[in-house]
Amino acid sequence: MAAQQQQEQARSTRQAVPASSRVAIIGGGISGLAAAKQLAAHDPVVFEATASIGGVWKHCVYRSTRLQTPRPDYEFSDYSWRNRDDPTFPTHAEIIEYLEGYADTFGLWRYIMLGAKVVDIKFLGGGGGGGFTELWSGTGEPLQGKPMWEVGVATAGSDTVQYYQFEFVVMCAGKYGDVPRMPVFPPGKGPEVFRGQVMHSLDYCKLSEEETVELMRGKKVVVVGYKKSAIDLALECAQANQGAEGGEACTMLVRTLHWVVPSYSIWGLPFFLFYSTRLAQFLYERPNQGILRSMLCTLMKPLRAGVSKFIESYLAWKLPLDKYGLRPDHPFVEDYASCQMAILPDGFFDMADRDMIRFKRASAGWCFSRNGVLLDDGTEVEADLVFLATGFEGKDKVRAVLPDPFRGLVVDRSGMMPLYRGTIHPLIPNMAFVGYVESVSNLHTSELRCRWLAGLLGGRFALPSVEDMVRHVDGEAEAMRRTTRFYRRHCISTYSIHDSDAMCADLGSRVLRKGNWLAELFAPYNNQDYKED
């Protein structure tokens, strides 16, 4: 009882916010917690819309959802997993426990205001903003000693919006959850003509285990999608119906094929050898590289293709991709370079072999009918329940609260958020964005960016001119476009070490962090390599 009281006392959250403060952090997920820890010197205010921290790991998961990476590859550099040697991938409940322990250890609760939803942000800097000035924010300074943003917050149980002023805002609302991506259909071909039930995966996440089983058991279910959330959902559907009286198979409507991986071992070799060492990443193009390196990348194109083919050969041998028509036409590296490689949950293809999961290919022209879904070739797939595992519009969460003209600047002509060092928008002053760049370990990516941001706010380095930052982010988009057709996801997986090197150099920290050249070339980089100097 005493220990519980001590914990509750330690987890006492912020109840009041000064009318004017230095730093606001929007979102209490992984990125928001990392930002709070790194920016603690500025006494930040963390606005979390829900009643708990954890972000998508708390509010956008299924009962079977697990992390897709081993524990040591998904931990803060200064806070290890208690059971980090456990080879199983952590469940979403374990991840929440880990994040709460992180907040406990570093006293982050005192910065967090729960049940505080940001609904509006107003720019106070004058001149309308968004102009192409020589220096970011006009002066190049992130903290200018005066309020630059006014943040409108609606608290739980209140109909009023309270406004607070800040010198700097860190947007950590995340790319997933909250705003579902919904397919658009011609009139008379959407969900309105379907006699059954249509549900987005986001709504499914809100159900209890008993409710999900009751919802799916004995129903003809169609799952639209073939990424991680769709795969997990189809497996849960098959498990709910297996052996049940009147149990039905689940049909996956596959629009775009992606490579799936059963484990982090390829022909007996650890997966990190192919993409996560400095030598492995030397083969791949990186943003804004010089002419000599561009020539080397051209010469090494056969090697890159060979690595991808080697992995594809294993996956085609290990998994029944050809049997079910699930072998993608594009190279494996394109999925890896866009962070779309999914780790298969145990038993997925076993359920397919038992005819509890079926697959139907469809293009963007599929639509609803009265009795189910209609494919391009006229085939009708009967359904009682259709799940839309079609993703999320994370950028819309940012657009929704930003004022004009910044709202129109969130995404550039490439379809990406143009973020220098994955953090600073060159044309949006006194604001940072964390959690909008993906990698093999999004936690590591966010933590290092928050440390870089703390260095910026602490005056350890200055930003380049706006023109130079725009040129840099354009170069990053071009490098990704040449690597993968799915470049709009802004994934740095094939050049993550180079990306980390650049931030370490800005901070004046060591770039080569392994201690010897053998490890530097052949050992994988992870969070533990980036402990603060």
Side-chain angles (χ1 to χ4, degrees), residues 160-354:
T160 62
V161 176
Q162 181 70 46
Y163 282 86
Y164 308 97
Q165 295 182 348
F166 296 92
E167 292 184 47
F168 197 90
V169 172
V170 187
M171 188 72 70
C172 301
K175 296 176 67 174
Y176 302 105
D178 298 327
V179 183
R181 178 180 295 132
M182 303 297 288
V184 178
F185 302 94
K189 294 187 176 182
E192 71 278 2
V193 303
F194 177 48
R195 63 173 177 78
Q197 183 178 0
V198 180
M199 179 181 288
H200 193 275
S201 59
L202 179 62
D203 297 314
Y204 177 82
C205 293
K206 300 172 184 177
L207 303 178
S208 68
E209 180 176 350
E210 294 76 16
E211 289 172 327
T212 62
V213 173
E214 181 66 25
L215 176 68
M216 296 184 292
R217 182 171 290 167
K219 303 278 184 63
K220 296 176 182 177
V221 179
V222 169
V223 176
V224 181
Y226 188 62
K227 292 184 184 177
K228 180 62 176 172
S229 62
I231 290 171
D232 285 347
L233 183 47
L235 181 59
E236 289 196 9
C237 176
Q239 290 170 339
N241 281 281
Q242 184 186 28
E245 184 178 352
E248 296 278 356
C250 173
T251 300
M252 297 191 74
L253 202 64
V254 182
R255 297 170 300 162
T256 303
L257 287 172
H258 293 286
W259 290 97
V260 291
V261 178
S263 68
Y264 284 101
S265 176
I266 304 295
W267 292 121
L269 298 174
F271 189 84
F272 72 76
L273 287 177
F274 303 105
Y275 295 109
S276 301
T277 69
R278 194 174 286 276
L279 181 63
Q281 292 195 3
F282 182 76
L283 300 177
Y284 297 91
E285 186 172 351
R286 59 186 61 163
N288 304 292
Q289 61 189 16
I291 295 176
L292 179 59
R293 175 155 181 80
S294 295
M295 292 173 60
L296 282 172
C297 281
T298 301
L299 293 173
M300 290 186 291
K301 185 176 180 179
L303 280 175
R304 294 195 298 273
V307 170
S308 192
K309 289 288 186 185
F310 183 75
I311 296 173
E312 291 163 30
S313 69
Y314 173 77
L315 298 178
W317 170 79
K318 182 72 173 178
L319 303 173
L321 302 180
D322 292 322
K323 174 182 177 180
Y324 294 111
L326 298 176
R327 184 169 182 166
D329 294 329
H330 58 267
F332 173 84
V333 67
E334 291 200 38
D335 278 337
Y336 184 82
S338 56
C339 294
Q340 296 193 100
M341 178 192 80
I343 299 293
L344 280 175
D346 292 339
F348 178 75
F349 278 117
D350 289 340
M351 284 295 186
D353 291 339
R354 297 173 193 169

Side-chain angles (χ1 to χ4, degrees), residues 223-498:
V223 176
V224 181
Y226 188 62
K227 292 184 184 177
K228 180 62 176 172
S229 62
I231 290 171
D232 285 347
L233 183 47
L235 181 59
E236 289 196 9
C237 176
Q239 290 170 339
N241 281 281
Q242 184 186 28
E245 184 178 352
E248 296 278 356
C250 173
T251 300
M252 297 191 74
L253 202 64
V254 182
R255 297 170 300 162
T256 303
L257 287 172
H258 293 286
W259 290 97
V260 291
V261 178
S263 68
Y264 284 101
S265 176
I266 304 295
W267 292 121
L269 298 174
F271 189 84
F272 72 76
L273 287 177
F274 303 105
Y275 295 109
S276 301
T277 69
R278 194 174 286 276
L279 181 63
Q281 292 195 3
F282 182 76
L283 300 177
Y284 297 91
E285 186 172 351
R286 59 186 61 163
N288 304 292
Q289 61 189 16
I291 295 176
L292 179 59
R293 175 155 181 80
S294 295
M295 292 173 60
L296 282 172
C297 281
T298 301
L299 293 173
M300 290 186 291
K301 185 176 180 179
L303 280 175
R304 294 195 298 273
V307 170
S308 192
K309 289 288 186 185
F310 183 75
I311 296 173
E312 291 163 30
S313 69
Y314 173 77
L315 298 178
W317 170 79
K318 182 72 173 178
L319 303 173
L321 302 180
D322 292 322
K323 174 182 177 180
Y324 294 111
L326 298 176
R327 184 169 182 166
D329 294 329
H330 58 267
F332 173 84
V333 67
E334 291 200 38
D335 278 337
Y336 184 82
S338 56
C339 294
Q340 296 193 100
M341 178 192 80
I343 299 293
L344 280 175
D346 292 339
F348 178 75
F349 278 117
D350 289 340
M351 284 295 186
D353 291 339
R354 297 173 193 169
D355 199 35
M356 293 304 297
I357 298 178
R358 299 169 183 171
F359 307 95
K360 292 286 186 181
R361 293 297 311 278
S363 70
W366 73 275
C367 62
F368 282 92
S369 65
R370 174 174 171 75
N371 297 317
V373 296
L374 196 63
L375 308 185
D376 310 74
D377 61 1
T379 302
E380 185 178 54
V381 181
E382 291 187 0
D384 303 305
L385 173 63
V386 175
F387 286 115
L388 301 175
T390 48
F392 305 93
E393 298 288 2
K395 296 165 188 173
D396 284 354
K397 290 191 286 185
V398 179
R399 290 191 186 102
V401 295
L402 282 183
D404 288 327
F406 304 114
R407 184 179 292 122
L409 299 173
V410 171
V411 176
D412 65 11
R413 63 182 181 275
S414 72
M416 296 166 52
M417 291 182 71
L419 301 177
Y420 177 73
R421 295 286 189 255
T423 308
I424 297 295
H425 194 303
L427 302 181
I428 301 181
N430 305 94
M431 182 176 285
F433 301 81
V434 182
Y436 298 90
V437 174
E438 295 184 72
S439 70
V440 174
S441 175
N442 290 336
L443 185 150
H444 165 64
T445 303
S446 291
E447 182 189 27
L448 194 54
R449 274 160 177 70
C450 289
R451 189 182 303 168
W452 180 89
L453 183 60
L456 175 64
L457 268 61
R460 292 178 63 177
F461 61 90
L463 292 173
S465 68
V466 168
E467 184 177 1
D468 286 344
M469 287 196 289
V470 169
R471 188 181 301 114
H472 185 278
V473 296
D474 285 348
E476 194 166 31
E478 283 301 316
M480 285 186 279
R481 183 183 286 110
R482 288 191 291 268
T483 304
T484 174
R485 69 196 69 187
F486 309 114
Y487 64 90
R488 288 185 179 88
R489 291 179 61 89
H490 203 162
C491 172
I492 62 171
S493 288
T494 56
Y495 60 91
S496 58
I497 298 175
H498 168 75

